[in-house]
Amino acid sequence: MAEPEFSATGVRIGRRLRSLTRAGQIRIAGGRLELLTSYGSEIDSAPLREVRAGKPWFGAEDRATAEVDGRRYLLRLGRPGETAGPPAASRFIEAVRSATARTS
């Protein structure tokens, strides 16, 4: 299996006011975005051309939004006290944008 272009674990994934998982996973590989529970069950997935990623207006730098087939998810990627390198949310957004550009 090919190495994922982006992978993050320990991600809090929610929709609106509902938390779907507190320790989920995000994976970008093979032109697809996958949102997974901590057990590896799929929450949602879609080809990258159907995914939009961005920052919420009101959120801290450890948060990102992902719109997958019209369903909006709030992602909390950072860990408290994480300072090395760019924040995980920014790396996620950049990975979605660069992977989308490659697949288009």
Side-chain angles (χ1 to χ4, degrees):
M1 181 162 202
E3 186 71 23
E5 298 167 32
F6 178 84
S7 180
T9 58
V11 179
R12 175 172 245 151
I13 302 172
R15 286 200 61 209
R16 299 187 187 210
L17 297 176
R18 181 175 171 218
S19 177
L20 301 175
T21 182
R22 294 185 304 167
Q25 303 172 33
I26 298 175
R27 193 173 336 157
I28 298 174
R32 290 188 68 82
L33 169 73
E34 297 175 327
L35 301 176
L36 308 167
T37 66
S38 57
Y39 298 110
S41 299
E42 185 175 290
I43 294 172
D44 206 346
S45 71
L48 284 170
R49 66 180 175 274
E50 298 174 11
V51 174
R52 290 187 339 178
K55 298 279 292 173
W57 291 355
F58 54 84
E61 66 179 28
D62 67 342
R63 295 176 192 215
T65 59
E67 191 170 314
V68 181
D69 286 334
R71 291 176 298 277
R72 184 178 212 103
Y73 296 94
L74 180 62
L75 311 171
R76 186 171 180 190
L77 290 111
R79 290 180 174 78
E82 181 181 276
T83 57
S90 297
R91 288 183 285 142
F92 165 71
I93 294 166
E94 184 57 36
V96 169
R97 290 182 180 158
S98 64
T100 303
R102 279 194 302 273
T103 59
S104 296

